[in-house]
Amino acid sequence: IQEHVPGIHFEVVYLPPVYPAGAERPLVERLTGKQIPGNAFPATLGILCINVATALATEHARQGKPMVSRIVTIAGELAENPTNVRVTFGTSIYEVIQQTGNLTNIDSANVRVGGPLSGFLIEHLCAPVTATTNCITLERSRKPEPAQACIRCGACSDVCPVDLLPQQL
């Protein structure tokens, strides 16, 4: 679908889901064929990459409407009722999990806010939903594997979904 607004050209493109589907750099490359240099932003290539929630919040701000909530995805192997819900900022993570019917396995779950690449584990379910809370993931608790010395085999960079070169870090 292509649309023209005076001074703006945009196109809606349907892509098959590939992990990490929402990561900015791989998404820009899939859509344009252009790679963003490691020290640059999409804007340096004339590209603006925003998600639908940000576009809607921008329009609401233009209309003078405050941003007081956002859509949050509840997911993960221990989520009995995976869902998307609109949550008011300040609502506790616990309340969101309870109201969506996902509290049953909470004692054996690691609760992560955000995705697997950029998310973080939370220790206290009283933590609030904020403007940056896009996902609450309920995963089985696992013992962390001990760190092993890197032998610089390159296998990690071959399978990295965002084209990192960890052996060069």
Side-chain angles (χ1 to χ4, degrees):
I1 301 169
Q2 291 190 16
E3 293 292 330
H4 294 276
V5 176
I8 299 174
H9 167 78
F10 65 91
E11 182 177 353
V12 177
V13 178
Y14 296 97
L15 295 173
V18 175
Y19 179 80
E24 186 176 53
R25 290 174 186 273
L27 185 60
V28 167
E29 185 174 355
R30 287 178 68 197
L31 289 170
T32 68
K34 298 177 183 178
Q35 283 193 336
I36 303 166
N39 59 348
F41 295 98
T44 55
L45 300 177
I47 298 168
L48 177 62
C49 186
I50 60 173
N51 63 39
V52 174
T54 301
L56 180 61
T58 302
E59 176 58 17
H60 284 170
R62 194 185 67 74
Q63 296 171 3
K65 298 177 184 175
M67 186 172 155
V68 296
S69 66
R70 72 164 297 141
I71 302 293
V72 177
T73 299
I74 312 302
E77 64 182 326
L78 294 182
E80 294 178 78
N81 300 302
T83 188
N84 294 307
V85 292
R86 179 166 297 283
V87 182
T88 303
F89 298 148
T91 305
S92 72
I93 301 292
Y94 177 87
E95 186 72 17
V96 175
I97 294 169
Q98 180 186 44
Q99 292 295 320
T100 57
N102 287 293
L103 202 55
T104 306
N105 297 317
I106 201 66
D107 291 335
S108 61
N110 278 340
V111 179
R112 174 177 289 278
V113 173
L117 291 177
S118 60
F120 55 92
L121 292 175
I122 60 168
E123 293 182 32
H124 304 288
L125 296 180
C126 61
V129 169
T130 67
T132 60
T133 308
N134 61 351
C135 181
I136 300 170
T137 307
L138 308 173
E139 297 292 340
R140 197 169 309 282
S141 293
R142 293 179 176 85
K143 290 182 181 177
E145 293 188 24
Q148 297 178 358
C150 176
I151 60 170
R152 300 193 179 281
C153 67
C156 56
S157 63
D158 292 342
V159 297
C160 181
V162 290
D163 297 325
L164 295 176
L165 298 173
Q167 69 275 18
Q168 294 181 7
L169 297 177

